Amino acid sequence: ESIRILTDFEARPGIISAAGYSGDDRIWATPQDMWIWASIMGVSWAFVVAISPWQSSRYLMARDEHVVIRSACIAVCVLSALWTLIYVSGPVIAALNPDVDPSNNAMIWAALNAIPVFFGALLLAGIVSAGLSSASTFLTLVGFAISNDVLDESTTDDAARLRISRITILVVGVVTLVLAMFVPPNVYWITNMVGPMFAAVWGPVAFMSIWSKRITDPAAFWGMVAGFVGYVVPKSLAMLEVVSLPSYLDPLLLGFTISLITAILLSRDDEVTEEQAAYRDALHVAPAELADAGAMRTTMRWPTIMMIWGVIATFLVVLVYTRPYQLAAGLIADDGPFVTWSGELLVAIVFGGAIFAAGAAARFIMLKIDQP
């Protein structure tokens, strides 16, 4: 019933369709622009999950690589289900109250007005917990970066570094609080500017540092600098409506490309030292415990579960979204085919297919590890 209502939702035409909320005077001029943007954002967030400090630092807590792989597979299965609920809840809230202002409060409004009190309180607690977790992680990373990456280790003792880290966290926290009080909130677009920035700035350098034998320290540094400028400048100009960029020239692509080209060109003018080459080679040596037969059997179950979940997820999306939408839109009839080809069916296939492909890739990589 919700899909039927949203299909004919005059206040937000096309909000539940695969074409998205596109058209004149909207965020995306055409469905193609929306799909290009969505594809770029999907790939960029994949990079963010792989290399961003608040994500990659989690891997360091794991007991061994088996725990990393298992937890990653579980996270994909759980988050794919949660993301589906989140993306469906947005249009549903719009149908219940299209005048929520500011729009950032939509989920809070739903927690207070649209669901039972217990689940509303649980949802609000989750929102607050997520905010506190992210804030503490980012503040810790800022303090750590200043005290360990910026300061000269040879001239600063541990006590001084700890003091500077605490002062940095305090200053950044106060500045952020002041900005939050006076700058109009726009959490979604702020997140979509700052989060993917790591993909454009660090993405090429991070992967080249592992897989390239030629990248040097200066090339990595200036690659990140160039990527930052190549992303932030056009992104800021676009957000201020000074310039209008086509979807295929998204600032993410510009920053990523500039960072990559800069790192490649500067690597030609320098040589990797023997120590650096040896360190990189050591990163490609699998730990002995990774080849443990018993642990391997347990770990291999989770990529398989991912693949199974990918197939199930596609059928579920077809069942609860694609078919109801096509019925409501008049693309099929009750006595006709179960579904027909459309963008909504493509969404279901891509959604489950990406999960299946990730599970298959994990199995393939694990099978390449030498067994004792």
Side-chain angles (χ1 to χ4, degrees):
E1 180 65 20
S2 297
I3 298 297
R4 184 191 66 77
I5 294 173
L6 290 169
T7 302
D8 300 323
F9 188 34
E10 294 183 359
R12 303 283 195 280
I15 192 172
I16 200 68
S17 72
Y21 190 48
S22 57
D24 295 335
D25 299 325
R26 296 176 188 168
I27 297 175
W28 300 285
T30 66
Q32 290 76 16
D33 290 327
M34 187 277 296
W35 276 96
I36 292 173
W37 175 85
S39 300
I40 292 172
M41 292 302 298
V43 173
S44 68
W45 276 103
F47 273 88
V48 171
V49 172
I51 55 89
S52 63
W54 68 90
Q55 290 290 147
S56 56
S57 60
R58 267 45 174 188
Y59 312 146
L60 301 177
M61 305 177 190
R63 180 182 61 200
D64 54 35
E65 277 74 5
H66 285 288
V67 174
V68 173
I69 296 170
R70 295 170 194 169
S71 59
C73 293
I74 296 171
V76 169
C77 294
V78 174
L79 287 177
S80 60
L82 293 177
W83 271 46
T84 304
L85 295 175
I86 291 173
Y87 275 97
V88 170
S89 65
V92 171
I93 294 172
L96 293 173
N97 182 7
D99 299 320
V100 176
D101 186 40
S103 59
N104 297 292
N105 291 342
M107 196 64 72
I108 297 175
W109 178 90
L112 296 174
N113 299 277
I115 58 180
V117 174
F118 173 79
F119 293 105
L122 195 64
L123 177 57
L124 290 176
I127 294 173
V128 174
S129 299
L132 290 174
S133 173
S134 298
S136 62
T137 299
F138 280 112
L139 287 173
T140 302
L141 288 170
V142 171
F144 181 85
I146 295 298
S147 62
N148 288 270
D149 298 334
V150 176
L151 297 179
D152 188 349
E153 294 185 9
S154 62
T155 59
T156 311
D157 58 26
D158 290 343
R161 287 147 67 93
L162 178 60
R163 182 171 60 255
I164 293 172
S165 179
R166 289 172 173 171
I167 294 173
T168 302
I169 291 174
L170 178 61
V171 171
V172 172
V174 171
V175 171
T176 303
L177 178 61
V178 172
L179 290 175
M181 294 175 64
F182 294 100
V183 177
N186 202 332
V187 177
Y188 178 78
W189 289 111
I190 291 175
T191 302
N192 270 330
M193 177 177 181
V194 177
M197 179 179 67
F198 288 89
V201 178
W202 287 7
V205 171
F207 278 90
M208 288 179 70
S209 297
I210 303 298
W211 299 105
S212 173
K213 296 181 178 180
R214 299 186 58 184
I215 188 170
T216 60
D217 287 346
F221 175 80
W222 288 110
M224 289 188 287
V225 172
F228 178 82
V229 175
Y231 170 71
V232 171
V233 171
K235 185 68 174 181
S236 300
L237 294 176
M239 292 186 69
L240 294 173
E241 299 183 350
V242 176
V243 298
S244 178
L245 297 173
S247 55
Y248 53 84
L249 287 181
D250 190 282
L252 275 169
L253 287 180
L254 296 177
F256 186 94
T257 303
I258 292 172
S259 176
L260 179 62
I261 293 175
T262 301
I264 292 175
L265 292 179
L266 292 183
S267 293
R268 295 180 176 180
D269 301 328
D270 203 352
E271 295 291 335
V272 176
T273 66
E274 293 184 3
E275 181 182 0
Q276 292 170 337
Y279 178 78
R280 176 200 167 275
D281 292 339
L283 296 177
H284 291 262
V285 178
E289 64 269 15
L290 192 58
D292 179 81
M296 180 68 75
R297 283 192 297 270
T298 302
T299 301
M300 289 293 287
R301 295 171 187 164
W302 289 104
T304 303
I305 291 174
M306 270 186 67
M307 296 169 67
I308 295 172
W309 169 240
V311 175
I312 294 174
T314 290
F315 281 106
L316 288 177
V317 173
V318 169
L319 187 63
V320 303
Y321 165 64
T322 304
R323 177 172 167 79
Y325 176 86
Q326 292 184 351
L327 285 170
L331 299 177
I332 59 174
D334 288 326
D335 56 352
F338 188 76
V339 291
T340 189
W341 180 256
S342 69
E344 293 71 31
L345 180 58
L346 178 62
V347 168
I349 294 172
V350 172
F351 178 71
I355 301 172
F356 183 93
R363 278 189 59 87
F364 175 77
I365 294 172
M366 294 296 292
L367 288 173
K368 291 180 65 176
I369 299 174
D370 295 332
Q371 298 294 309

